[in-house]
Amino acid sequence: MWPGLVQTAKEGGVDVIESYVFWNGHELSPGKYNFEGRYDLVKFVKIVQQAGMYMILRIGPFVAAEWNFGGVPVWLHYVPGTVFRSDNEPFKHYMQNFTTFIVNLMKQEKLFAPQGEDPISQDNELVYIIQIIENEYGYYESYYGDGAKRYVTWAAKMAVSQNIGVPWIMCQQDDAPDPVINTCNSFYCDQFTPNSPNKPKIWTENWPGWFKTFGARDPHRPAEDVAFSVARFFQKGGSVHNYYMYHGGTNFGRTSGGPFITTSYDYEAPIDEYGKVFYFSWYLTVSVFSARQPELKYLMDSLLGLPRLPKWGHLKELHRAIKLSEHALLKSEPTTLSLGPSLEADVYDDGSGVCAAFLSNLDDKIDKNVVFRNVSYHLPAWSVSILPDCKNVAFNTAKASVVEMVPEELQPSVTSPSKGLKGLKWDIFMENAGIWGVSDFTKNGFVDHINITKDTTDYLWYTTSIIIGENEEFLKKASRPVLLIESKGHALHAFVNQELQGSASGNGSHSPFKFENPISLKAGKNEIALLSMTVGLQNAGGLYEWVGAGLTSVKIEGLNNGTVDLSMSKWTYKIGLQGEHLGIYKPDGLNGVNWVSTSEPPRNQPLTWYKVVVDPPSGDEPVGLDMIHMGKGLAWLNGEEIGRYWPIKSSKHDKCVDECDYRGKFFPDKCLTGCGEPSQRWYHVPRSWFKPSGNILVIFEEKGGDPTKITFSKRKTSSLCSNIGEDFPMVDQGKAAAHLKCPKNTLISNVKFASFGNPSGRCGSYSKGDCHDPNSTSTVEKACLGKNECSIELTEEKFDKGLRPGAATTEKLAIEAVCT
Ligand code: GAL
């Protein structure tokens, strides 16, 4: 998918790709490197190079990134005496080794521009412009005492001594030693200044959305606010700006960090998680300012990636406006003028006639009119207008692009296996609820989960037994004793005598939790088997590698003697599951157990492996596995790790928004949706993992679900939307027009919504306002029905403009149309 994604970024007006390097993905054990498949770093960089783009490489080696253990290999935590990210010999040794290894790899491939005496040949153009060492260490220095400063100085020196001829930078490190450049990571960086006037102002992470955690709501950042932040940065002398993420994709397998980060790392980024959709069946062509500037048309039928609209399109226009101003931006520093309260102009004018200006309204509620160089401009609240010639507005951040698509969600596929995986032949294998095979060890008391599994698996069994006397009162009554468990994290299923009694987990990023559930005990010996689980290792924070997981207390309440504490009992441990151990999800391990065949796979049965042969879903759209009817577990297709699934819901009592006001400072909890919904329902299965037939889907279900209801869903666009204001375009020539174009060989079959007036809402859920021209739908239908493409100008003849005499705001036209 890489070439398509890089191309879509380029089409979006991006000219540099920044990427992390994941140390734990590349160095599997000391000195044993992996650059295969998705870890082929050189291949990725060369794709960027071939696209004629630059590269910023974030070697880390610590990265955070919601990636398991922040990117640092788990084995390093177990090298005696190691403390991560500090003035610590083993850590520095391995960090230097890895950094040097990556730098040398890039050098061998001649990917740095200035490589000593080497002439730079034509086909070997400059790729790297910047390398990044460490990441946001500044936030956590206080955890590391005096050694922190020594570590920063060492890291900078070690990096610079690699002698690669391109600058090194450190994010969020105010005291980055020269010549290393300190940079900003935030939702806004206009006010940031580097620690020396000789250093450029660089923004390494602008978060255009946010990540998701299992059990939490879904965050959104409006495109208008992202554009506002970027425009403000260039208004205030910024030189390099990077979106984190522009495409986040999927963290397959167990690579998500956490705890509790979902496998979807969509991030509501300008390119969606599924990456690719438009070729063959669906693609959409949009022109926004067609009457005015043909170059502003973005033809998405040439694209291979899946741009998220309106974000991708809005930022593309922003990038274009900034590039139009480049000549002036590079010639001088900006001069700031006040245009009134919360109103600011910054002018790049060196007197040579080359001039660009940014006009901003920082008020988060009130639209304003300003006069700049004798011309009056309308500035919506919380917006920036870019004037590449100091006269004409090329872009305003609040006037978001007018084209969107629905749905954000996946649709069940229309052909097999749309009805789920019913009627297929299943193979079943059940895990033992407790120790399988020979136990690993016994101990009086508890061990730390991660210290034992070393993250080779999510699972660790803690088992013990208890003898219940026949004279226990509860046996005579209908009451049941209560099992009380405390754990450092992350999740747990409790079994007694092979029966699941209940489950518990931490929530959000808070991993410690308590379990409290009545349990069924019988007279005599009772086997207690507790399956403790990690759900992605901590990926950031001071001394984060020491945050453990696993049980700390187990008690049973309601016995004749009151509460019995089992914490110091003899516990028998087993690492991982038998199926994992035998690799029964891998093509060469499938026959490792005796599967039981059935056409009626068991439902709601814990600890069950399911195997089924499936056909690929028809067509070419991206595919997601719909796991809403399952409990929690792991999934593989043809041995490739889809990853952890867990359709755990966020609380329906939390606060969610219908619409997000772009105005005012953004923060991750500002605009949340999906209250009471699963945080992640669909799990991306790349098309390339499917064979034409005979695909083997393996699921390990921990607590019980209905596998016959699993479906492959397809990511497709069902409608197009256009939402345009009368004040588009802002420059006088041409008229504002909505322009819709369906994919090839399809026609506009239905106008689901049309309103000229003050409609509100988003694509897919528009609603009429108190001002609405009743002829809107018929006007749009007349212009569009049965056509492949249509445009509707916002003229007097077409629409009733006298709807709200004297109204302060301009009318808008919102349309949602269906192509079939
Ligand atoms: C930053 C960090 C990134 C990522 C981001 C949140 O602080 O550098 O790696 O974790 O936060 O998505």
Side-chain angles (χ1 to χ4, degrees), residues 81-274:
T82 304
V83 179
F84 291 4
R85 309 179 74 199
S86 62
D87 185 22
N88 168 278
E89 290 314 316
F91 187 75
K92 290 191 299 184
H93 168 78
Y94 286 103
M95 171 166 166
Q96 176 158 6
N97 268 1
F98 181 70
T99 308
T100 311
F101 190 90
I102 297 294
V103 164
N104 286 345
L105 186 68
M106 299 296 127
K107 268 189 196 161
Q108 268 161 32
E109 300 287 335
K110 297 207 166 49
L111 291 164
F112 294 115
Q115 289 195 337
E117 306 286 299
D118 285 0
I120 303 159
S121 65
Q122 275 304 89
D123 57 359
N124 201 3
E125 281 163 37
L126 168 88
V127 177
Y128 283 98
I129 54 169
I130 292 169
Q131 297 256 120
I132 305 187
I133 193 79
E134 250 297 339
N135 183 35
E136 299 190 332
Y137 190 62
Y139 288 146
Y140 303 108
E141 272 186 30
S142 58
Y143 289 87
Y144 299 93
D146 296 345
K149 290 270 174 283
R150 290 198 299 275
Y151 169 63
V152 171
T153 314
W154 169 83
K157 223 162 136 193
M158 184 273 286
V160 172
S161 71
Q162 302 281 340
N163 207 11
I164 51 176
V166 301
W168 286 90
I169 65 185
M170 281 181 169
C171 306
Q172 293 297 133
Q173 190 69 48
D174 293 346
D175 58 356
D178 293 344
V180 174
I181 303 162
N182 64 311
T183 66
C184 182
N185 289 356
S186 184
F187 288 108
Y188 306 92
C189 284
D190 46 337
Q191 300 304 324
F192 168 79
T193 43
N195 64 16
S196 145
N198 300 327
K199 295 180 183 177
K201 174 167 169 171
I202 298 179
W203 189 354
T204 24
E205 290 186 26
N206 181 1
W207 306 304
W210 200 243
F211 55 86
K212 289 210 280 188
T213 42
F214 285 119
R217 291 159 290 172
D218 199 0
H220 304 277
R221 184 177 183 197
E224 294 91 336
D225 180 61
V226 182
F228 171 78
S229 67
V230 180
R232 282 288 296 167
F233 181 69
F234 286 100
Q235 169 164 11
K236 295 290 171 192
S239 59
V240 177
H241 162 273
N242 179 70
Y243 298 101
Y244 181 104
M245 307 298 296
Y246 192 78
H247 169 67
T250 313
N251 291 332
F252 294 110
R254 301 192 307 114
T255 57
S256 279
F260 308 123
I261 306 292
T262 57
T263 66
S264 166
Y265 200 57
D266 177 83
Y267 222 90
E268 210 193 39
I271 302 177
D272 141 309
E273 172 183 4
Y274 287 78

Side-chain angles (χ1 to χ4, degrees), residues 618-635:
S618 62
D620 252 293
E621 301 92 339
V623 175
L625 203 56
D626 183 349
M627 299 300 265
I628 193 157
H629 299 289
M630 297 300 283
K632 178 179 180 296
L634 298 169

Side-chain angles (χ1 to χ4, degrees), residues 474 477-482 501 518-521 557-558:
F474 78 85
K477 297 190 207 146
S479 72
R480 290 198 293 163
V482 174
Q501 308 290 316
I519 52 168
S520 304
L521 292 174
E557 190 184 76

Side-chain angles (χ1 to χ4, degrees), residues 306-491:
L306 175 54
R308 165 167 283 113
L309 297 174
K311 208 170 262 180
W312 181 90
H314 190 48
L315 298 176
K316 177 185 167 90
E317 288 162 31
L318 163 74
H319 302 154
R320 179 181 170 277
I322 292 169
K323 291 276 176 184
L324 286 172
S325 315
E326 200 170 35
H327 54 297
L329 262 54
L330 294 175
K331 275 189 128 179
S332 63
E333 293 296 322
T335 314
T336 306
L337 302 172
S338 170
L339 302 175
S342 304
L343 296 167
E344 235 173 33
D346 282 86
V347 190
Y348 291 81
D349 186 354
D350 70 346
S352 67
V354 173
C355 182
F358 292 74
L359 312 184
S360 56
N361 177 3
L362 303 181
D363 195 292
D364 59 10
K365 290 195 182 56
I366 306 167
D367 295 0
K368 305 248 170 96
N369 287 315
V370 295
V371 174
F372 171 68
R373 298 195 170 181
N374 301 325
V375 180
S376 167
Y377 297 89
H378 177 72
L379 284 180
W382 200 254
S383 81
V384 180
S385 280
I386 303 179
L387 288 58
D389 56 359
C390 283
K391 268 196 220 88
N392 293 298
V393 178
F395 181 81
N396 175 277
T397 58
K399 315 238 163 153
S401 298
V402 292
V403 182
E404 290 190 52
M405 331 171 288
V406 276
E408 289 287 303
E409 293 182 345
L410 286 90
Q411 296 291 295
S413 61
V414 269
T415 56
S416 136
S418 64
K419 293 188 199 75
L421 303 178
K422 251 193 202 129
L424 298 175
K425 187 180 132 303
W426 293 79
D427 282 338
I428 310 299
F429 171 68
M430 269 198 74
E431 288 280 334
N432 188 35
I435 308 297
W436 51 271
V438 181
S439 68
D440 285 319
F441 60 95
T442 54
K443 185 179 187 272
N444 291 337
F446 297 124
V447 291
D448 180 84
H449 180 125
I450 301 168
N451 282 349
I452 300 303
T453 62
K454 303 211 165 50
D455 199 39
T456 51
T457 165
D458 280 358
Y459 304 103
L460 179 63
W461 283 108
Y462 292 64
T463 69
T464 192
S465 59
I466 180 172
I467 310 275
I468 296 293
E470 282 175 5
N471 58 347
E472 282 290 344
E473 284 299 311
F474 78 85
L475 293 170
K476 296 175 205 148
K477 297 190 207 146
S479 72
R480 290 198 293 163
V482 174
L483 179 62
L484 302 166
I485 304 174
E486 288 177 26
S487 169
K488 280 184 279 171
H490 303 157

Side-chain angles (χ1 to χ4, degrees), residues 623-661:
V623 175
L625 203 56
D626 183 349
M627 299 300 265
I628 193 157
H629 299 289
M630 297 300 283
K632 178 179 180 296
L634 298 169
W636 296 262
L637 183 81
N638 295 328
E640 301 276 4
E641 294 183 276
I642 297 168
R644 295 186 187 102
Y645 66 85
W646 191 10
I648 184 173
K649 294 176 177 161
S650 68
S651 160
K652 58 175 185 279
H653 305 296
D654 281 343
K655 202 172 159 266
C656 277
V657 299
D658 290 332
E659 229 179 299
C660 184
D661 186 351

